[in-house]
Amino acid sequence: MNPALATLALAYREHGDPAARALFLGAEPHPDLLRATAWQPLKPLADLCAAAGMALTDGPQGKFATVLFLPGKSKEETLAGFARAHDFLAPGGMLIAALANTAGAARFEKELAKASPLLLSVSKNKCRAFAVENTQPWDDAALTAWRRLSEPRLIPDTTFTVVPGVFSADHTDPGSALLAEHLPASLRGEVADLGAGWGFLSHAALAKCPNISRIDLFEADSRALACARKNVTGPAEFHWHDVTTGLPGKYDHILTNPPFHTGQARDIGLGHAFLTTAARSLKRGGSLHLVANRQLPYEAHLVSLGLRPRLLAETGGFKVITAA
Ligand SMILES: C[S@@+](CC[C@H](N)C(=O)[O-])C[C@H]1O[C@@H](n2cnc3c(N)ncnc32)[C@H](O)[C@@H]1O
């Protein structure tokens, strides 16, 4: 179990009111937190919440006596999340947040204390849970600054819209740029983009390959997918989807810059699962086009899946591979 989740549940058990209406931002299933309304933008975690019987929402409504918050990886996302949590708190309500110490728990506890006096702090499992109340007005300047962080913005010198917390939220990923450069203009028919993020690769493919009839973007992060809807125009469809569960169709070509982290931890198995899904979802004669960090051992996995990998480019720490 995610240790920050265990620490959050501990603080809630000891200091929260289990009968009070609760909202869980960044929800993950825990036996003590199943009654909370769950908001979770990452599909694999949202699926786990649903399987555990939690009520999921993609747009929480109203005010809650308790708001629980498990932040993601980015600083901006965490601070914006504090402001968002505040806006859902009923008068007198309590916000409890938890983070791993290595994710900056002490630093974020101090940040939150700038807005409202700290009510409690619990250290356990190399994590920290901390809470504030909504009994007096929070610091307005802090709230305003944090709210601003959540606003959609453009990647500098581009027309691409992003929000904090999504992959590559302040620049175009250099690996994906390398793959885009090496995409053959002859790609045609139905194409899938696995782990499409905010849409960079799909946008590049549609711009370069006039014979693509449709591109399906599969992405686990609903916030990134919402940006992709703005960034990718043309024959594109958008799917909030866990790629490791397979795809609903078969494709002439598949593009991917596979993820290899789950939360903070390196997870090569996730990259392998993407390639397995890709191999199963190619039409006969189709091709896979991928970019990866140079040291990632994907070639042997592609061969084990019956594909024939070919190195197209290797530069700046990345390699571009095509596999028929
Ligand atoms: C390396 S990024 C590439 C993003 C995008 N293609 C680009 O070039 O900017 C990998 C993407 O895979 C997404 N992802 C991670 N796990 C996933 C899963 N199980 N199913 C679908 N997408 C996933 C991440 O949210 C991230 O956007």
Side-chain angles (χ1 to χ4, degrees):
M1 180 186 296
N2 173 355
L5 172 65
T7 310
L8 184 72
L10 173 73
Y12 180 62
R13 264 196 317 272
E14 289 185 354
H15 304 278
D17 173 2
R21 184 170 188 243
L23 172 66
F24 189 175
L25 300 174
E28 296 183 31
H30 184 285
D32 296 334
L33 307 177
L34 297 179
R35 289 184 58 252
T37 300
W39 176 82
Q40 174 51 261
L42 304 180
K43 183 74 165 116
L45 291 176
D47 287 347
L48 288 179
C49 290
M54 296 178 84
L56 279 156
T57 175
D58 55 5
Q61 298 291 327
K63 302 285 183 186
F64 297 81
T66 308
V67 177
L68 305 165
F69 179 34
L70 269 188
K73 279 190 283 188
S74 99
K75 178 181 177 193
E76 290 190 323
E77 179 191 5
T78 303
L79 296 178
F82 288 155
R84 185 165 181 239
H86 164 270
D87 294 345
F88 285 120
L89 269 183
M94 187 197 296
L95 161 64
I96 314 178
L99 290 105
N101 293 341
T102 52
R107 181 162 49 98
F108 285 115
E109 184 182 271
K110 274 199 200 114
E111 287 283 350
L112 184 60
K114 284 184 194 164
S116 183
L118 215 58
L119 185 68
L120 61 97
S121 180
V122 175
S123 282
K124 184 92 183 167
N125 311 313
K126 298 187 177 152
C127 296
R128 197 186 278 236
F130 43 94
V132 294
E133 280 182 317
N134 195 24
T135 46
Q136 61 191 64
W138 290 25
D139 182 77
D140 213 32
L143 282 177
T144 306
W146 294 344
R147 280 197 196 102
R148 203 168 292 136
L149 295 175
S150 66
E151 287 166 10
R153 71 201 58 172
L154 294 182
I155 291 204
D157 304 321
T158 76
T159 54
F160 296 126
T161 297
V162 289
V163 289
V166 304
F167 173 79
S168 205
D170 49 15
H171 61 284
T172 297
D173 180 62
S176 294
L178 188 68
L179 175 55
E181 191 185 322
H182 289 275
L183 280 182
S186 57
L187 296 189
R188 46 164 289 283
E190 291 166 346
V191 175
D193 178 355
L194 308 190
W198 48 257
F200 172 77
L201 272 179
S202 290
H203 177 274
L206 286 172
K208 190 169 184 181
C209 315
N211 295 321
I212 291 179
S213 57
R214 192 187 76 237
I215 190 155
D216 282 348
L217 290 85
F218 293 96
E219 169 57 44
D221 186 337
S222 60
R223 300 162 303 172
L225 201 64
C227 294
R229 285 178 195 276
K230 296 188 180 135
N231 295 329
V232 182
T233 49
E237 291 185 10
F238 303 85
H239 308 267
W240 188 41
H241 187 81
D242 178 356
V243 164
T244 66
T245 62
L247 302 185
K250 300 260 187 203
Y251 293 90
D252 297 297
H253 308 286
I254 293 182
L255 321 177
T256 188
N257 175 356
F260 58 97
H261 285 95
T262 297
Q264 311 272 9
R266 197 175 150 99
D267 179 5
I268 303 293
L270 182 57
H272 280 179
F274 263 56
L275 302 187
T276 303
T277 291
R280 289 186 182 143
S281 310
L282 279 175
K283 291 182 189 168
R284 184 171 279 276
S287 62
L288 169 64
H289 304 261
L290 78 105
V291 65
N293 284 13
R294 211 163 163 176
Q295 78 279 11
L296 292 173
Y298 286 153
E299 289 84 345
H301 188 64
L302 289 169
V303 170
S304 76
L305 294 166
L307 296 178
R308 276 174 287 128
R310 193 160 59 86
L311 184 67
L312 282 191
E314 197 168 9
T315 174
F318 298 101
K319 55 187 173 186
V320 174
I321 295 171
T322 177

